[in-house]
Amino acid sequence: MRKLVILVAVAVAAVAFGRGRLVGAAHSDVARVQRVVDGDTIVVRLDGRTERVRYIGMDTPESVKPGTPVQCYAKAAARENRRLVTGREVRLVADAEARDRYGRLLAYVYRADDGVFVNAELVRRGYARLLTIPPNVAHAVELRRLATAARRAGRGLWSRC
């Protein structure tokens, strides 16, 4: 029953968000990456505003969290995220919730020029762990499969931390 409720919520949210467009994004979901904060957060220029974007469905070790020491593989994850997106245009696709409790946009991030799904790429290569927070579950199954394969293969943080 719970799965049905989650699926219905995701479907309703997809319609409400205009087929993946971010609420508050002035009907635009393409942004330019200005800076990479860490492995799972970027700063983008979107419709004339600067916005922090937190990747949905994954989590990387902490490297800039106040009061938290730099965690194992955090710098490598941030470096890989920079390699994937710095200075590039990205397509931001929302799920059920537009923002987190810190005011950051929540998004699945795709490179605009070639469609690479950045969230999935970081998980697949072992730079990130799975982090599923309902109701943002549109890619949970895919990301779970990628995380399991990365862990089994000992890729990235799975062999070093």
Side-chain angles (χ1 to χ4, degrees), residues 1-54:
M1 179 67 173
R2 184 171 182 221
K3 286 183 181 178
L4 178 61
V5 170
I6 290 171
L7 288 173
V8 169
V10 169
V12 168
V15 171
F17 285 112
R19 293 180 296 167
R21 295 200 183 268
L22 294 167
V23 168
H27 308 295
S28 175
D29 59 357
V30 175
R32 177 156 310 271
V33 177
Q34 292 186 312
R35 160 174 94 81
V36 170
V37 175
D38 59 18
D40 54 33
T41 307
I42 56 178
V43 175
V44 301
R45 192 75 182 159
L46 178 66
D47 293 332
R49 294 184 324 275
T50 299
E51 293 273 5
R52 274 186 181 247
V53 178
R54 172 64 164 84

Side-chain angles (χ1 to χ4, degrees), residues 2-14 17 55-58 93-98 106-108 110 117 119 130-145:
R2 184 171 182 221
K3 286 183 181 178
L4 178 61
V5 170
I6 290 171
L7 288 173
V8 169
V10 169
V12 168
F17 285 112
Y55 295 2
I56 299 173
M58 50 154 287
V93 179
D95 202 330
E97 298 173 321
L106 297 172
Y108 298 108
Y110 298 83
F117 182 14
N119 309 48
L130 179 70
L131 178 63
T132 303
I133 302 175
N136 300 311
V137 297
H139 292 281
V141 171
E142 175 186 2
L143 294 173
R144 182 177 304 113
R145 179 183 56 78

Side-chain angles (χ1 to χ4, degrees), residues 41-94:
T41 307
I42 56 178
V43 175
V44 301
R45 192 75 182 159
L46 178 66
D47 293 332
R49 294 184 324 275
T50 299
E51 293 273 5
R52 274 186 181 247
V53 178
R54 172 64 164 84
Y55 295 2
I56 299 173
M58 50 154 287
D59 189 44
T60 60
E62 297 296 340
S63 64
V64 295
K65 185 175 182 181
T68 302
V70 174
Q71 296 175 337
C72 177
Y73 223 63
K75 291 187 184 275
R79 193 169 39 252
E80 181 64 7
N81 195 20
R82 274 193 293 280
R83 188 188 72 74
L84 288 167
V85 301
T86 296
R88 297 179 88 148
E89 284 195 338
V90 292
R91 189 167 52 91
L92 305 174
V93 179

